[in-house]
Amino acid sequence: QKEVEQDPGPLSVPEGAIVSLNCTYSNSAFQYFMWYRQYSRKGPELLMYTYSSGNKEDGRFTAQVDKSSKYISLFIRDSQPSDSATYLCAMSADTGRRALTFGSGTRLQVQP
Amino acid sequence: DVKVTQSSRYLVKRTGEKVFLECVQDMDHENMFWYRQDPGLGLRLIYFSYDVKMKEKGDIPEGYSVSREKKERFSLILESASTNQTSMYLCASSFSGRGGNQPQHFGDGTRLSIL
């Protein structure tokens, strides 16, 4: 079983829809949670960075962490065709391994 | 803005060749990373470096080596390229922190084909 699970999609939604992207994880030591967006033929770019449980909002994007359920979400409001990309979750613990553990990514298509 | 630059966007090499992938970052980050990205497998860590001349193996180091002689530059070496090393290679960098908690910044990748 992978340490971080993410539905690969593709997820297809109409423009203006609210999108929910999710990851589950098994390592209870994870404290730092990130979401990256990756356009085709480009590297991942950091979207959201959160620590521990709770919500964080940035414009149309909201990141939510539920450590008790080992579940994180990224919500995109008023989705746009330019949001079409692959979304990767990533996480890490406070100690130990210095690198992030990534989900395999969910491909999102926003139809105009 | 953080800039991570990978020397080549596309590269075609032959089986058995020694291949060098170069990465440079301009933010004085202590940590640098090499990943490969394959469909359905996500990003897998090959090696990382937390200081000049320091390195640690990641999840899939076999067939690869790395070099970090200067803080800003991190090289990935395929000692004898094989067809199963055809992949997208991504370099990343981050500030040092406890564990791996600092966000990483990525280059745009090198799509490597081994024929």
Side-chain angles (χ1 to χ4, degrees), chain B residues 13-17 80-83 114-115:
Chain B
K13 296 291 182 180
R14 297 213 172 271
T15 304
E17 278 193 70
S80 177
S82 63
T83 54
I114 307 296
L115 304 179

Side-chain angles (χ1 to χ4, degrees), chain B residues 46-77:
Chain B
I46 304 170
Y47 266 99
F48 67 97
S49 168
Y50 51 91
D51 202 350
V52 175
K53 296 192 187 294
M54 306 303 286
K55 61 186 179 185
E56 281 192 27
K57 292 180 180 178
D59 300 317
I60 50 163
E62 296 78 20
Y64 303 95
S65 63
V66 290
S67 172
R68 190 157 180 213
E69 297 295 321
K70 293 185 176 182
K71 191 175 186 180
E72 67 271 18
R73 187 178 297 270
F74 192 33
S75 303
L76 179 70
I77 303 149

Side-chain angles (χ1 to χ4, degrees), chain A residues 26-84:
Chain A
S26 56
N27 187 346
S28 57
F30 287 149
Q31 296 268 37
Y32 300 88
F33 304 93
M34 293 153 225
W35 285 96
Y36 286 83
R37 177 176 63 196
Q38 185 176 21
Y39 291 115
S40 182
R41 288 185 281 278
K42 301 283 276 183
E45 59 176 317
L46 181 68
L47 268 182
M48 301 288 280
Y49 174 61
T50 55
Y51 171 72
S52 196
S53 283
N55 292 1
K56 182 175 181 179
E57 190 173 316
D58 184 0
R60 296 185 296 111
F61 297 91
T62 299
Q64 203 169 74
V65 175
D66 181 350
K67 289 188 67 183
S68 61
S69 302
K70 297 192 184 71
Y71 189 87
I72 68 170
S73 300
L74 178 71
F75 298 96
I76 307 174
R77 288 183 298 283
D78 187 25
S79 56
Q80 303 295 309
S82 58
D83 294 327
S84 298

Side-chain angles (χ1 to χ4, degrees), chain A residues 78-94:
Chain A
D78 187 25
S79 56
Q80 303 295 309
S82 58
D83 294 327
S84 298
T86 296
Y87 290 80
L88 301 153
C89 63
M91 47 198 81
S92 73
D94 225 354

